[in-house]
Amino acid sequence: MPTTDSPRAAVAPATAPPAGPVLAAGESARTVALPGLGLTVRSGPGGTDLEPALCVHGLGGSSQNWSALMAGLGGTVAAEALDLPGFGHSPPPDDGDYSIAGHARAVVRLLDHERRGPVHLFGNSMGGAVAVKVAAARPDLVRTLTLVSPALPELPPQRTAWPTGLASVPGLPQLYMRATRDWPIERRTAALLSLCYGDPGVVDARAREAAAVEYQRRLDLPYFWDVMIRSTRGIVNAYTLGGQYALWRQAERVLAPTLLVYGGRDQLVSVKTARRAARTFRDSRLLTIPESGHVAMMEHPDLVARAFRDLLHEIDHRAARDEAGRQYSPTSTAATGS
């Protein structure tokens, strides 16, 4: 598991965490209240007249994982990122559903409630699997899909990913917590950065300190471990689904133009999966960053932003070409002069 501490009571509080999220320059945040669900949504810099985008974080992450990328896309899209139920500053859902499908329903409910779709949908890791389900089930809500190291089934998983998967096994998280209970927060943070980044050295001392403070805040939440363990089980359970509900089958159904981003040093999602993903998604293009780890949008936000802008340029050019083809088709009124 990516975090460690002694277990707490698995009782969901009635309200969100008291402290608000730490915001980067130009960001704002709001809480969206839905029946049985409260979601914290972070808005990036940029005008609201731009096309909307929504970013979905991974296991143990939050909307803050997208701040660097949203800043880089400030003049391109009106980007927002949500804290999934139980993560970041969003309280646990009333129904306690932390499955991939449950998280996907939360995203769909948010988009339906705010009528922001179709959006440019981004997802990282677990959030990538969530985004795939949203795009497959509700193509009307998704204009493009950008997946950064999406958590799609990989059998067998690479060995460095085993500890995260084992967190779903009853009893093992408690053993791990006891074995690491004396770790200071700085050691926990360093371990997490080493797991997620291709080069943890890119995180400077100030950012590392801020990450440690946020890490401690999450550990102190009474529902932290319950959310982590149940969400991990949700990922593992999604990997075992067959038929039309299998994640790879869902990927085949995605109609939106898709950008796939993989890191050559990713310890959680093997870069070897990139080839299968590129073949599976109908309209895909692939960016592999050899030096990147699991969170390329944090480690290499400029490269990801550039690839996304290239995607927009490509689909705009395609739309213009198709429109020109329709106007000058030999069977059209304009071409025949009738």
Side-chain angles (χ1 to χ4, degrees):
M1 295 187 67
T3 54
T4 56
D5 202 358
S6 56
R8 306 273 185 152
V11 178
T15 59
V22 177
L23 301 175
E27 289 186 342
S28 61
R30 68 184 188 279
T31 298
V32 178
L34 302 170
L37 192 66
L39 298 173
T40 296
V41 180
R42 178 187 304 261
S43 298
T48 56
D49 56 333
L50 301 171
E51 290 187 344
L54 183 67
C55 306
V56 188
H57 64 79
L59 180 69
S62 74
S63 60
Q64 193 171 11
N65 294 164
W66 297 98
S67 287
L69 182 63
M70 290 198 299
L73 295 176
T76 305
V77 292
E80 293 191 335
L82 82 159
D83 289 338
L84 289 170
F87 291 93
H89 286 78
S90 293
D94 287 357
D95 61 7
D97 187 354
Y98 298 105
S99 66
I100 297 296
H103 288 312
R105 281 192 292 272
V107 173
V108 168
R109 289 181 63 190
L110 173 66
L111 292 174
D112 279 341
H113 173 75
E114 301 207 320
R115 299 180 180 179
R116 290 190 82 228
V119 299
H120 298 284
L121 187 61
F122 292 73
N124 169 236
S125 192
M126 179 185 76
V130 171
V132 168
K133 289 194 75 71
V134 173
R138 291 291 304 274
D140 59 304
L141 293 178
V142 182
R143 176 160 165 72
T144 67
L145 182 63
T146 298
L147 303 175
V148 181
S149 296
L152 297 173
E154 177 188 352
L155 297 174
Q158 56 182 335
R159 292 187 178 183
T160 48
W162 288 2
T164 300
L166 290 174
S168 65
V169 179
L172 288 186
Q174 288 73 19
L175 291 175
Y176 185 66
M177 295 174 204
R178 286 197 292 270
T180 59
R181 75 181 79 186
D182 296 328
W183 284 19
I185 192 63
E186 293 77 13
R187 181 177 178 182
R188 301 176 194 274
T189 303
L192 180 60
L193 295 177
S194 295
L195 179 65
C196 293
Y197 280 73
D199 177 14
V202 302
V203 184
D204 62 28
R206 184 175 180 179
R208 200 171 283 251
E209 181 180 355
V213 170
E214 173 62 13
Y215 201 161
Q216 187 64 63
R217 183 196 70 81
R218 296 186 199 178
L219 286 170
D220 290 339
L221 295 172
Y223 50 81
F224 173 83
W225 280 111
D226 185 53
V227 173
M228 287 293 294
I229 293 171
R230 291 191 184 202
S231 291
T232 304
R233 289 174 181 164
I235 297 173
V236 174
N237 289 340
Y239 281 15
T240 64
L241 293 176
Q244 63 177 325
Y245 299 107
L247 283 173
W248 285 111
R249 288 286 298 275
Q250 298 273 299
E252 292 175 351
R253 293 170 52 190
V254 172
L255 301 177
T258 302
L259 170 62
L260 301 165
V261 182
Y262 284 83
R265 297 180 181 177
D266 194 332
Q267 299 182 60
L268 295 171
V269 172
S270 173
V271 69
K272 296 177 182 178
T273 312
R275 295 180 183 177
R276 180 177 182 182
R279 293 194 307 266
T280 301
F281 288 91
R282 301 187 188 193
D283 185 6
S284 70
R285 61 279 301 144
L286 173 64
L287 170 64
T288 300
I289 307 176
E291 301 82 12
S292 185
H294 191 58
V295 287
M297 74 287 187
M298 301 173 70
E299 193 171 4
H300 299 279
D302 292 342
L303 292 179
V304 178
R306 185 189 310 165
F308 175 72
R309 285 192 291 267
D310 288 345
L311 169 64
L312 293 188
H313 178 76
E314 177 191 336
I315 61 176
D316 287 345
H317 178 73
R318 182 194 302 174
R321 184 186 60 208
D322 291 345
E323 178 63 23
R326 285 191 294 269
Q327 290 179 353
Y328 296 102
S329 170
T331 59
S332 69
T333 301
T336 60
S338 58

